[in-house]
Amino acid sequence: MKETLYNYFPIELIQFLLVAVFSLLIGLSQRKLKLRTEETTFFGSDRTFTLIGILGYILYIFNKESMIYWAGGGILLSVFLGLNYFFKMSHTKSYGLTSVMITFITYCLAPLIITQPSWFYLSVVVTVLLVTEMQETFIHFAKKMNNDEFVTLAKFLIIGGIILPILPDTQLIANINITPRKIWLAVVIISTISYASYLLKKFVFRESGIVISGLLGGLYSSTATTLILARKSKTAENGFKHYTAAIVLATSMMYLRILILILIFNAELFNAIWWVMLIMFAVSLFTGLSFGYEKGKGFFKQDPNNPITLTDDKNPLEFRVAMLFAFLFVAFTFITYYTIMYFGGGGLNVLSFIVGFTDIDPFLINLFQGSYSIPVLAIATATLQAIISNNILKLCYSVSLGHKAIRRNLFLSFGIIISANILVLAVIFFLQ
């Protein structure tokens, strides 16, 4: 931004205006906060912050090399802020440092704008404005957090930020494309998706209805979500169409989740099959919404007489779950390798259909990551076959465990989805 403006206006003028405007915006945010909280100990507001920013600019341009004047002004400002903070603690027993830190950031705007690219100092200003405005949001957010929330976050950081980088990317067994890093990368990706689903459900859609619960649960595991919803429908007294919608929409999110995994692990396969996955996502989404619609009843609000929780019931980052996934990933790597070696594409087709009655994610990620001597369309075929059998499994689960009031619509819904899946699979066969 400023780089373009420099072509038409003096550099000093643009820099001065940017400092003044951004300082004023920060000051206005402080005044708004002051009016909202009725606190009397804020260190200035709009005019004060504007003048602090301008003072920082003037003192900085006096001597940009040594910055001695700017540093002296910062020391003087520190004295005033220290006196204000002492008064604040003595008279109000308030120990917050937010306004003090924002004042220092405002004073630093001049060197930031003069020496740094526009994206950086704009990021600083936007962050300050957001942090100031979202004070009540942070308080509300903190109240929602339980005692284990940061432990869960720490587990996620350990899994993805500490363990993954230190694992070697060396092949463990000749001819089999499996390395410690590839194994753990699969764990990290699945953990990331499940953790994102958990956070959305817990903090964004906490009071959401059954339908949203199904959508978010399907992003993590459509099979597990189907089991939970079917069992809960057994004891429900109403809202059966919503249960049908939630179960089917969980399956629609499975297509989206698998498409994300394909994009991450196999760009060639993504280019060949993205349209198939999007078609199936749209078909299952439309089917779920159609069979779950009830006139006059909202899809998205929690029923107080029939509350339902999915992702809150379970920590998505349990270490034993990660270990089980890693074990399954390794097991499917060996099974897939030897199946293809001895039985070729036909063996892979049979294996993929069988695997669909278990947890398909370890098998699919291994298939996407592996360097097997099979065409990309054969991988696409195996993927769709595993999905078909997994949908049959979910139909069996939901019909056998769910309330009898949802069985008819579930048969129709999954019948449509499975038929559409078979149709696109036939197209893939034709393309081969």
Side-chain angles (χ1 to χ4, degrees), residues 248 280 283 287 291 391 395 408-422:
V248 177
M280 289 309 307
V283 168
T287 302
F291 278 92
N391 285 340
L395 174 60
R408 176 179 174 276
N409 283 345
L410 285 173
F411 270 117
L412 293 173
S413 300
F414 276 100
I416 292 172
I417 294 171
I418 293 171
S419 299
N421 219 143
I422 293 173

Side-chain angles (χ1 to χ4, degrees), residues 60 79 96 108 157 167 173 192 254 269 277 367 373 403 414 427:
Y60 180 77
V79 173
C108 293
L157 295 176
L167 289 175
I173 301 174
T192 301
M254 173 193 66
L269 178 62
M277 303 305 291
L367 200 60
S373 56
H403 197 283
F414 276 100
V427 173

Side-chain angles (χ1 to χ4, degrees), residues 23-42:
S23 301
L24 176 61
L25 289 175
I26 293 174
L28 287 171
S29 70
Q30 290 297 292
R31 179 176 289 279
K32 182 180 178 182
L33 183 61
K34 179 179 179 180
L35 293 173
R36 188 166 65 227
T37 60
E38 297 184 354
E39 186 174 336
T40 60
T41 57
F42 275 90

Side-chain angles (χ1 to χ4, degrees), residues 281-295:
F281 170 70
V283 168
S284 53
L285 185 70
F286 178 78
T287 302
L289 293 175
S290 298
F291 278 92
Y293 178 73
E294 281 187 283
K295 187 175 181 181

Side-chain angles (χ1 to χ4, degrees), residues 100-394:
V100 174
M101 301 308 299
I102 291 176
T103 304
F104 278 124
I105 292 173
T106 305
Y107 185 72
C108 293
L109 283 179
L112 276 177
I113 290 174
I114 292 173
T115 63
Q116 300 302 313
S118 58
W119 66 265
F120 182 75
Y121 63 73
L122 282 173
S123 299
V124 171
V125 173
V126 169
T127 302
V128 170
L129 295 175
L130 287 176
V131 169
T132 301
E133 185 64 28
M134 295 176 66
Q135 179 187 26
E136 294 178 1
T137 303
F138 291 141
I139 294 173
H140 183 64
F141 181 79
K143 289 179 178 178
K144 287 183 179 180
M145 301 179 71
N146 56 41
N147 295 333
D148 297 329
E149 215 59 63
F150 283 103
V151 175
T152 303
L153 175 60
K155 289 179 182 178
F156 177 71
L157 295 176
I158 290 171
I159 289 173
I162 297 177
I163 297 178
L164 181 62
I166 65 176
L167 289 175
D169 197 22
T170 54
Q171 197 163 304
L172 297 176
I173 301 174
N175 301 322
I176 298 181
N177 186 25
I178 184 171
T179 71
R181 182 169 294 179
K182 280 192 173 184
I183 296 171
W184 203 251
L185 177 61
V187 174
V188 170
I189 296 299
I190 290 298
S191 297
T192 301
I193 294 174
S194 64
Y195 190 46
S197 172
Y198 169 80
L199 292 176
L200 285 171
K201 173 59 181 169
K202 187 172 181 68
F203 297 109
V204 180
F205 300 104
R206 189 176 182 86
E207 304 300 326
S208 60
I210 298 172
V211 173
I212 293 296
S213 297
L215 281 168
L216 295 177
L219 190 61
Y220 166 54
S221 171
S222 58
T223 304
T225 302
T226 298
L227 279 169
I228 295 172
L229 289 167
R231 286 169 177 162
K232 287 180 180 283
S233 73
K234 194 79 171 180
T235 57
E237 297 179 358
N238 51 51
F240 297 116
K241 285 193 173 183
H242 283 192
Y243 277 101
T244 302
I247 290 172
V248 177
L249 291 177
T251 293
S252 74
M253 296 306 290
M254 173 193 66
Y255 288 102
L256 190 60
R257 184 182 76 249
I258 293 174
L259 182 62
I260 293 172
L261 295 176
I262 295 172
L263 176 62
I264 293 172
F265 291 110
N266 196 322
E268 184 182 3
L269 178 62
F270 178 81
N271 291 331
I273 204 178
W274 64 267
W275 58 275
V276 172
M277 303 305 291
L278 287 181
I279 287 174
M280 289 309 307
F281 170 70
V283 168
S284 53
L285 185 70
F286 178 78
T287 302
L289 293 175
S290 298
F291 278 92
Y293 178 73
E294 281 187 283
K295 187 175 181 181
K297 294 187 178 182
F299 265 123
F300 308 115
K301 289 185 178 180
Q302 184 77 280
D303 183 355
N305 299 319
N306 188 27
I308 180 171
T309 57
L310 295 176
T311 52
D312 284 357
D313 290 341
K314 185 179 179 182
N315 183 343
L317 295 176
E318 290 182 359
F319 189 72
R320 61 183 179 181
V321 175
M323 290 296 98
L324 176 61
F325 186 90
F327 172 78
L328 290 174
F329 180 83
V330 174
F332 280 125
T333 299
F334 282 94
I335 294 171
T336 304
Y337 173 78
Y338 287 110
T339 298
I340 293 174
M341 186 171 74
Y342 289 110
F343 302 104
L348 178 62
N349 289 334
V350 174
L351 176 64
S352 63
F353 190 79
I354 295 172
V355 167
F357 293 98
T358 64
D359 186 357
I360 64 174
D361 285 338
F363 169 73
L364 291 180
I365 294 177
N366 160 67
L367 200 60
F368 302 154
Q369 268 191 309
S371 301
Y372 301 111
S373 56
I374 53 175
V376 67
L377 289 181
I379 299 177
T381 299
T383 301
L384 292 173
Q385 287 178 160
I387 291 174
I388 289 173
S389 56
N390 189 253
N391 285 340
I392 294 173
L393 175 68
K394 285 179 287 191

